[in-house]
């Protein structure tokens, strides 16, 4: 996912969910009078950090957005950086001793629609734990299960596309096939040392007004598309849409609907 401009124009579902979750959870968090140091992991193009998260935060001193993608960080820096907001490249899954990069740590850590990309959840949660100051809180929001990933799995079995999708399992979230994703996540967070304030994976729906919105949304996050020869990319995307329709994502009125589970984990590092 490296086309920041496309992502900004095709992330309505992610923005809707960020607003939903932040409105519910921010009032439940403790906010210090002095202002908070906030980290946003997987900030992508930076628009959610700047236009959605920051205006909702009660008291902020400094916000840092990090992302594994150099292109995303470069776009976010050019477009949204200002005196209390900066961006840096960081891989939350592979970082070792992240406090060497951020010696002061953070009082709040947010991550929206990112951690379903992370295979090594234990390493990632350990890094988040280390990045938090004692008493700090994390709000982690990401896809627990989504038919999108079943679609990837089905597409990878088709002769025409399989050579581009041999590593499909790397792109399926670790919780996709768990019977109780929220419990699995909560257990892991506790093992890492967190106090689990709450951890849920509610079922949500998002209706795409027309097929082009869905096509763009898939295009913006599809990790396989760039491997497909340019002249076949349209056929690939159309096949993705057909496969999603087969997974009962098409309503009677013809609109496409995504039904998925969103992991929402509110975690705290003890004092
Ligand atoms: C779908 S975007 C979400 C962007 C933004 N947070 C939002 O809510 O719209 C997911 C972002 O996570 C980033 N990402 C994926 N794996 C990551 C990792 N291991 N460390 C940091 N960022 C990662 C991707 O590069 C991508 O920009």
């Amino acid at each position: 996912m490296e086309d920041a401009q496309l992502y900004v124009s095709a992330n309505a579902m992610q923005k809707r969910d960020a607003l939903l979750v932040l409105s519910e959870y921010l009032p439940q968090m403790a906010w210090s009078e002095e202002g908070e140091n906030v980290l946003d992991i997987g900030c992508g193009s930076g628009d959610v950090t700047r236009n959605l998260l920051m205006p909702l935060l009660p008291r902020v001193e400094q916000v840092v957005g990090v992302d594994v993608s150099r292109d995303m960080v470069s776009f976010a820096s050019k477009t949204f950086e200002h005196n209390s907001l900066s961006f840096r490249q960081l891989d939350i899954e592979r970082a070792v001793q992240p406090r060497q990069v951020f010696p002061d740590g953070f009082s709040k850590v947010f991550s929206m629609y990112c951690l379903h990309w992370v295979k090594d959840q234990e390493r990632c949660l350990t890094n988040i734990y280390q990045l938090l100051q004692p008493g700090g809180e994390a709000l982690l929001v990401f896809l627990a299960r989504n038919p999108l990933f079943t679609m990837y799995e089905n597409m990878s079995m088709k002769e025409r596309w399989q050579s581009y999708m041999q590593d499909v399992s790397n792109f399926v979230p670790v919780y996709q096939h768990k019977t109780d994703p929220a419990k699995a996540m909560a257990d892991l967070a506790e093992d890492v040392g967190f106090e689990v304030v709450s951890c849920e994976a509610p079922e949500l729906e998002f209706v795409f007004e027309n097929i082009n919105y869905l096509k763009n949304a898939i295009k913006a996050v599809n990790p396989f598309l760039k491997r497909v020869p340019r002249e076949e990319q349209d056929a690939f995307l159309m096949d993705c849409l057909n496969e999603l329709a087969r997974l009962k994502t098409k309503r009677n009125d013809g609109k496409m609907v995504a039904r998925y589970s969103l992991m929402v984990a509110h975690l705290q590092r003890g004092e």
Side-chain angles (χ1 to χ4, degrees), residues 30 129 132 134-138 193-197 266-271:
Y129 186 89
L132 275 172
E137 292 172 85
F194 278 111
E195 289 164 23
V196 178
V197 184
H266 179 190
L267 311 175
Q268 182 154 33
R269 177 174 172 159
E271 292 287 350

Side-chain angles (χ1 to χ4, degrees), residues 1 7 11 14 42-44 48 67-69 72 90-93 112-114 117-118:
M1 215 198 87
Y7 185 73
N11 63 351
Q14 290 89 333
C43 60
V48 168
D67 201 283
V68 68
S69 154
M72 285 291 180
L90 181 89
D91 182 343
I92 195 63
E93 187 175 8
M112 319 299 275
Y113 264 91
C114 166
W117 294 94
V118 167

Side-chain angles (χ1 to χ4, degrees), residues 199-213:
C199 186
E200 296 168 351
E203 305 272 333
L204 297 181
E205 261 191 27
F206 186 83
V207 179
F208 293 90
E209 279 312 307
N210 64 50
I211 198 89
N212 277 331
Y213 281 106

